[in-house]
Amino acid sequence: MVLASVNEGEKVRITDLSKSNHLIKRRLLDLGIFEGIEVNILRKMPFGGPILIECKGNRIAIRKVDLSRIEVESSR
Protein backbone atom coordinates (compact mmCIF):
# COMPACT_ATOMS: atom_id res chain seq x y z
CA MET A 1 0.00 0.00 0.00
CA VAL A 2 1.24 3.54 -0.72
CA LEU A 3 0.85 6.55 1.55
CA ALA A 4 -1.30 8.45 -0.97
CA SER A 5 -4.00 5.74 -0.79
CA VAL A 6 -4.42 5.83 2.99
CA ASN A 7 -7.69 7.31 4.30
CA GLU A 8 -7.90 10.37 6.53
CA GLY A 9 -7.49 9.57 10.21
CA GLU A 10 -5.51 6.36 9.63
CA LYS A 11 -2.11 5.75 11.19
CA VAL A 12 0.46 3.87 9.16
CA ARG A 13 4.12 2.93 9.41
CA ILE A 14 6.50 3.88 6.59
CA THR A 15 8.22 0.79 5.19
CA ASP A 16 10.04 1.98 2.05
CA LEU A 17 11.27 5.37 0.83
CA SER A 18 13.57 4.01 -1.89
CA LYS A 19 11.18 4.83 -4.76
CA SER A 20 11.04 8.52 -3.81
CA ASN A 21 12.98 11.19 -5.63
CA HIS A 22 16.30 11.69 -3.84
CA LEU A 23 15.48 15.36 -3.06
CA ILE A 24 12.12 14.41 -1.56
CA LYS A 25 13.72 11.60 0.40
CA ARG A 26 16.41 13.98 1.74
CA ARG A 27 13.75 16.52 2.76
CA LEU A 28 11.66 13.87 4.51
CA LEU A 29 14.72 12.64 6.41
CA ASP A 30 15.49 16.25 7.44
CA LEU A 31 11.94 16.51 8.80
CA GLY A 32 12.34 13.30 10.80
CA ILE A 33 10.32 11.09 8.48
CA PHE A 34 12.14 7.83 7.81
CA GLU A 35 11.43 4.12 7.42
CA GLY A 36 9.80 2.58 10.48
CA ILE A 37 8.21 5.77 11.77
CA GLU A 38 4.47 6.11 12.25
CA VAL A 39 2.54 8.91 10.49
CA ASN A 40 -1.08 9.99 10.66
CA ILE A 41 -3.05 11.20 7.63
CA LEU A 42 -4.85 14.33 8.80
CA ARG A 43 -6.41 15.71 5.64
CA LYS A 44 -6.55 15.13 1.90
CA MET A 45 -7.11 18.24 -0.18
CA PRO A 46 -9.62 17.96 -3.05
CA PHE A 47 -8.74 17.54 -6.74
CA GLY A 48 -5.49 15.68 -6.10
CA GLY A 49 -4.01 18.44 -3.96
CA PRO A 50 -1.47 18.00 -1.19
CA ILE A 51 -2.03 15.69 1.74
CA LEU A 52 -1.48 16.85 5.32
CA ILE A 53 0.34 14.32 7.49
CA GLU A 54 1.41 14.41 11.11
CA CYS A 55 4.62 12.91 12.42
CA LYS A 56 5.91 13.40 15.98
CA GLY A 57 3.63 16.41 16.44
CA ASN A 58 4.79 18.10 13.22
CA ARG A 59 2.30 18.72 10.44
CA ILE A 60 3.57 18.58 6.89
CA ALA A 61 1.74 18.95 3.57
CA ILE A 62 3.19 16.85 0.75
CA ARG A 63 2.14 16.54 -2.88
CA LYS A 64 0.07 13.46 -3.62
CA VAL A 65 2.44 12.38 -6.40
CA ASP A 66 5.33 12.26 -3.92
CA LEU A 67 3.31 10.27 -1.38
CA SER A 68 2.37 7.75 -4.08
CA ARG A 69 6.00 6.58 -4.05
CA ILE A 70 6.16 5.91 -0.31
CA GLU A 71 5.27 2.37 0.79
CA VAL A 72 3.47 1.94 4.12
CA GLU A 73 1.82 -0.72 6.25
CA SER A 74 -1.00 -0.50 8.75
CA SER A 75 0.24 0.18 12.29
CA ARG A 76 -2.33 -1.52 14.50
Side-chain angles (χ1 to χ4, degrees), residues 21-67:
N21 175 308
H22 72 281
L23 294 175
I24 298 297
K25 184 176 178 182
R26 179 74 249 166
R27 183 67 180 144
L28 291 173
L29 292 173
D30 289 344
L31 293 169
I33 299 173
F34 46 85
E35 293 173 0
I37 198 160
E38 187 176 277
V39 297
N40 185 18
I41 303 297
L42 295 178
R43 181 158 176 131
K44 289 183 161 185
M45 301 303 164
F47 308 112
I51 297 173
L52 184 63
I53 66 172
E54 182 177 38
C55 176
K56 293 185 174 178
N58 298 316
R59 294 179 175 194
I60 304 159
I62 304 176
R63 295 183 307 174
K64 186 175 182 179
V65 66
D66 294 325
L67 292 181

Side-chain angles (χ1 to χ4, degrees), residues 8-26:
E8 288 183 10
E10 281 189 57
K11 287 185 179 182
V12 292
R13 184 173 314 278
I14 294 177
T15 58
D16 187 13
L17 290 172
S18 65
K19 295 177 185 169
S20 297
N21 175 308
H22 72 281
L23 294 175
I24 298 297
K25 184 176 178 182
R26 179 74 249 166

